[in-house]
Amino acid sequence: MVAQFGANWSTRSDLYWGVYGATYDNDVAINGDPKNTLYATKAETTLGVPTTGAPVASNSTQAIPASKIDTLGNTYATPNIGNVTTSTNSPLASIQKTTLPGSFATYVTGSNGSVNSAFNYFSNSMGNFAGGADNTKLDLFRITNSTNGGGVFGAPGSYEGTFSISSGGQVSFTAVPEPATIYVSLMLLGLVAWHKRRSLAGLLKVEAQN
């Protein structure tokens, strides 16, 4: 983190982090998640108090952000090509140019430079470090579609747990003790998991908004 973003990374108000994932391109449920199930974080307004996730929508509506997350997964999965470079200290992380089509930055930054509408679907899904690394927490939500995913239309996604990051750059996840959290924990262990059949993209990225 220091090498990439400077010694003051943990107090930068222009440095954001978020976690996103989706099932896509497969009609078979993956670990209990039907097609177009979405995973996304949302920054806690009051530290230590879980917030409310994005609402459940129809299969066709959720397919739009799911497709974009899948595209991002494809971009991540081909490092050392063009403007994507594997990080020096981990093959599980990549550094992307903000101008790269399909990069993380292009999906979380609106036309006005705002970062409050990731994938044109999730609001306030990222946290920054304006208050210090220890004062930003991201709640993770699982959003199953209402068409064939069992979700209740308009209801908030289910709370799965909370991500936090220390000033030393250590990311941790406190899971809700439910079966679905087994999958989430596996996604966290690799920081980034990408299904080889492009069915799943679980992404953790940190970007500086210049």
Side-chain angles (χ1 to χ4, degrees):
M1 296 292 285
V2 172
Q4 186 62 37
F5 300 110
N8 67 332
W9 73 267
S10 61
T11 58
R12 286 181 58 172
S13 61
D14 62 341
L15 188 62
Y16 291 82
W17 67 307
V19 181
Y20 308 93
T23 55
Y24 186 72
D25 254 358
N26 198 323
D27 291 324
V28 178
I30 300 174
N31 293 326
D33 287 348
K35 185 177 181 178
N36 298 325
T37 295
L38 305 173
Y39 283 86
T41 50
K42 190 169 184 179
E44 290 186 352
T45 302
T46 302
L47 204 66
V49 179
T51 185
T52 303
V56 171
S58 67
N59 182 65
S60 59
T61 297
Q62 292 193 192
I64 298 173
S67 174
K68 293 177 180 179
I69 292 172
D70 180 68
T71 299
L72 177 55
N74 292 336
T75 304
Y76 163 79
T78 53
N80 301 318
I81 297 177
N83 291 321
V84 182
T85 306
T86 300
S87 67
T88 56
N89 61 352
S90 174
L92 301 177
S94 67
I95 300 170
Q96 301 175 341
K97 297 290 187 181
T98 58
T99 55
L100 174 69
S103 70
F104 183 77
T106 62
Y107 285 121
V108 301
T109 306
S111 58
N112 62 350
S114 169
V115 295
N116 290 327
S117 182
F119 302 94
N120 298 118
Y121 194 85
F122 307 109
S123 62
N124 300 315
S125 60
M126 294 196 296
N128 64 38
F129 300 102
D134 296 323
N135 291 308
T136 175
K137 292 184 182 295
L138 303 178
D139 296 330
L140 181 68
F141 296 91
R142 175 177 179 259
I143 308 152
T144 55
N145 74 80
S146 63
T147 305
N148 52 21
V152 178
F153 187 85
S158 63
Y159 170 60
E160 301 296 318
T162 300
F163 285 98
S164 59
I165 187 169
S166 71
S167 56
Q170 297 297 313
V171 177
S172 60
F173 181 73
T174 303
V176 175
E178 296 178 350
T181 60
I182 297 173
Y183 159 70
V184 174
S185 297
L186 290 175
M187 182 177 72
L188 173 63
L189 287 175
L191 294 188
V192 177
W194 186 66
H195 195 274
K196 65 180 180 180
R197 292 177 59 84
R198 299 191 303 121
S199 302
L200 175 68
L203 301 157
L204 172 61
K205 292 290 183 182
V206 182
E207 290 283 342
Q209 303 298 320
N210 297 316

